[in-house]
Amino acid sequence: MLTWKDIISFSLNGNPKPDRRVKKTEAEWQELLTPEQFRVTRKKGTEAPHTGALCGIHEAGRYNCICCNAPLFDSTIKFESGTGWPSFTQPIQLNAIKYERDTAFGMVRVEVMCNTCDAHLGHVFPDGPDPSGLRYCINSASMQLQKKQANE
């Protein structure tokens, strides 16, 4: 289980190696994504709170990157944080997420990105529930829910 100490270490010393890498030009990303998805994932934008399509969704499944379809989070670790963005306590696997120090807007935060394609997802904070204490605060526009089938 990842802890805040692990997150800080990754952001300062380098991230786990992803299983694969996906690279596209800006024009290719623009063709693939909606304008809002492009703004959030490729230009590091943020949705307004409580506006994302995945905020109130609690169906069983896996949340994948909207850009490259890499698995990011499982529905079993999603929780209601009250912040207005989908929140998770852990990534689906250790190397799914890339961490970088973010000093934009006069704050020090840890940005989270898809480790496969570098899509901006949101930020992680040390104020989540036990046992990890982590809160991955993620933009709905950066993910898609792959619902579990009845036989899974």
Side-chain angles (χ1 to χ4, degrees):
M1 175 178 306
L2 287 172
T3 65
W4 185 243
K5 184 178 176 181
D6 298 322
I7 303 303
I8 297 302
S9 179
F10 288 144
S11 72
L12 296 174
N13 304 314
N15 290 284
K17 185 179 178 189
D19 293 339
R20 65 184 175 98
R21 292 286 297 153
V22 172
K23 291 190 180 241
K24 295 184 184 298
T25 65
E26 188 165 312
E28 288 173 318
W29 287 124
Q30 278 185 304
E31 213 172 282
L32 178 70
L33 303 168
T34 68
E36 177 69 352
Q37 290 167 340
F38 181 81
R39 183 185 73 78
V40 169
T41 62
R42 309 321 303 180
K43 298 297 184 184
K44 300 184 185 287
T46 301
E47 300 167 326
H50 305 286
T51 63
L54 300 175
C55 284
I57 302 291
H58 292 285
E59 295 180 54
R62 191 173 67 193
Y63 291 85
N64 295 341
C65 177
I66 197 70
C67 295
C68 69
N69 205 38
L72 301 171
F73 301 100
D74 189 85
S75 61
T76 60
I77 45 87
K78 186 176 184 195
F79 70 100
E80 284 297 330
S81 66
T83 62
W85 291 276
S87 297
F88 303 87
T89 59
Q90 292 283 303
I92 202 162
Q93 61 186 44
L94 176 75
N95 66 347
I97 303 294
K98 179 179 180 178
Y99 305 90
E100 286 189 3
R101 189 171 188 255
D102 178 3
T103 57
F105 307 111
M107 298 178 274
V108 178
R109 303 179 292 177
V110 176
E111 178 187 3
V112 292
M113 293 163 285
C114 173
N115 205 17
T116 301
C117 72
D118 298 330
H120 170 74
L121 304 172
H123 293 85
V124 62
F125 302 95
D127 60 2
D130 289 334
S132 74
L134 298 176
R135 174 175 55 93
Y136 287 79
C137 190
I138 308 298
N139 290 288
S140 287
S142 66
M143 301 181 297
Q144 57 190 337
L145 175 61
Q146 180 182 343
K147 295 177 186 176
K148 281 192 179 169
Q149 301 302 314
N151 59 352
E152 289 185 79

